[in-house]
Amino acid sequence: MKKLKVEEMEDEEKKAEQEIETAIQAAKAVSPDDMISGLGASKGVVYIQYRPSKSPSQYKTLLLPNEKPLLLTYFIIKGLGEVPKLMLAECGAHYDQIAIVGGEDQSAAINWRARSPNGLLPTISGIGIPRSTPLSQSGAIIRFLADRFGMKGKSINDAAMADVLYETAKDIGSKADIVCSVNPTKDLSSAKEPFALALRVEKMLESMPSPADDGAALNFGQLQLLHTLMKCEARRSGCVKENLGETLDIFRLDMEKRSGIASYLKSKACFPFTGVEIGSDGYIYPSGPLRRGDIKFLES
């Protein structure tokens, strides 16, 4: 790959900034009464701003000198963008989101296919990451945000254990068919099965900050676990308590009550699960379409 000169890098950054502005203006030109049912034909991206009035003091959310605001770009579904959004809701960081509906011309959708290092979404830029060369890969984004905002614990060991929980929560999520089933056979002897994993997760949580403590700085593994459990509950209400145990269900409920997360979950900026995410078909919202003008955070 050709290494750009300083002048060329500055020019690329200006182009990327203009691409973002073009997408924002295209989004604003669409009628607020436009209805969005999930991924599909689009009249323009959806532009959302998150500007909470205050941020929890346990997190490091202030911009450093010369940093640009955070921009998250992902499709207008939960998918791989949901854990970053839960993290940002929890820590109260200001950010903008470009939500891709799916049918936009790249010239009006920040040229994300060309800009993304791997040609895929999600991406983030700002807070130290150039607009012209955003960061991609959801795991890399989650770890970057955790490091930046103070969501990795107080030590190297804390950070490593947060990563263990992060990966284990994803493992449980990969067994959603079993977790969401009715009266499954619970094999507690197999560490690869979700029931034994749930018991191990309970032990991990014992040494981590309590979500019932408003002043606790949560870690990124806990946010991944929350997403996994909420996704299972969306598929079949009550399955977490029934199949993974009361401890993890209480964890889920305590997480959902935290101020920033609770506000986010109530907002239309928290997109509904699509059919494919809850065991059905298609990237369409089973709960019905969203009015474009209503898609915003409660605090913005």
Side-chain angles (χ1 to χ4, degrees):
M1 182 182 292
K2 178 185 175 183
K3 186 173 182 179
L4 298 179
K5 297 179 181 179
V6 173
E7 295 83 0
E8 293 173 321
M9 292 174 63
E10 290 175 349
D11 286 344
E12 276 301 304
E13 194 68 5
K14 290 178 182 178
K15 288 179 184 177
E17 290 280 9
Q18 185 56 55
E19 290 164 359
I20 293 169
E21 182 59 28
T22 297
I24 292 171
Q25 293 307 315
K28 291 180 177 180
V30 182
S31 168
D33 292 324
D34 178 46
M35 302 302 288
I36 299 173
S37 300
L39 298 186
S42 172
K43 297 177 181 178
V45 303
V46 176
Y47 175 59
I48 315 167
Q49 293 181 302
Y50 183 48
R51 301 291 187 271
S53 57
K54 60 181 180 179
S55 302
S57 60
Q58 63 265 40
Y59 299 111
K60 303 177 292 184
T61 58
L62 294 178
L63 288 177
L64 300 178
N66 301 317
E67 281 189 337
K68 297 175 181 177
L70 176 63
L71 174 67
L72 168 68
T73 303
Y74 189 59
F75 298 107
I76 198 159
I77 60 173
K78 290 186 183 294
L80 297 176
E82 189 64 6
V83 176
K85 289 177 73 175
L86 287 169
M87 294 173 69
L88 293 166
E90 164 62 21
C91 71
H94 290 201
Y95 75 100
D96 295 348
Q97 181 179 6
I98 296 287
I100 306 295
V101 182
E104 304 89 352
D105 188 278
Q106 282 292 293
S107 64
I110 72 169
N111 276 327
W112 64 264
R113 291 187 188 278
R115 294 288 182 193
S116 170
N118 66 342
L120 300 172
L121 296 176
T123 64
I124 61 169
S125 65
I127 58 172
I129 301 171
R131 301 293 194 208
S132 56
T133 54
L135 181 65
S136 64
Q137 291 286 8
S138 59
I141 289 170
I142 288 166
R143 291 178 176 93
F144 176 88
L145 294 177
D147 188 58
R148 173 57 196 271
F149 295 131
M151 306 181 83
K152 294 176 68 174
K154 298 180 180 179
S155 67
I156 294 176
N157 185 66
D158 286 348
M161 288 308 301
D163 221 337
V164 171
L165 178 58
Y166 170 76
E167 295 293 345
T168 306
K170 291 199 298 180
D171 289 341
I172 291 176
S174 71
K175 304 287 186 178
D177 286 348
I178 300 174
V179 174
C180 300
S181 63
V182 178
N183 297 322
T185 300
K186 297 181 181 180
D187 183 0
L188 299 179
S189 66
S190 174
K192 291 185 177 181
E193 294 302 313
F195 316 111
L197 280 178
L199 294 176
R200 293 173 184 267
V201 166
E202 287 182 15
K203 289 188 176 297
M204 293 180 202
L205 291 174
E206 289 175 359
S207 61
M208 293 181 179
S210 169
D213 177 2
D214 290 340
L218 303 183
N219 67 54
F220 67 99
Q222 291 173 293
L223 274 300
Q224 177 64 53
L225 178 59
L226 171 62
H227 176 55
T228 293
L229 299 179
M230 288 196 302
K231 190 173 179 181
C232 290
E233 279 292 299
R235 187 163 172 177
R236 185 173 78 81
S237 179
C239 70
V240 171
K241 184 175 181 179
E242 289 176 24
N243 292 333
L244 298 181
E246 186 173 14
T247 298
L248 291 193
D249 198 44
I250 291 172
F251 167 84
R252 175 184 66 85
L253 293 172
D254 284 343
M255 291 286 284
E256 290 177 359
K257 292 174 186 174
R258 291 181 69 86
S259 177
I261 293 174
S263 179
Y264 166 63
L265 294 177
K266 291 176 185 176
S267 75
K268 297 296 185 182
C270 178
F271 308 133
F273 282 106
T274 58
V276 75
E277 294 175 289
I278 54 174
S280 184
D281 296 317
Y283 288 99
I284 302 299
Y285 311 138
S287 55
L290 298 177
R291 178 179 174 273
R292 179 181 286 262
D294 294 334
I295 301 175
K296 55 188 174 183
F297 295 97
L298 297 183
E299 287 189 282
S300 60

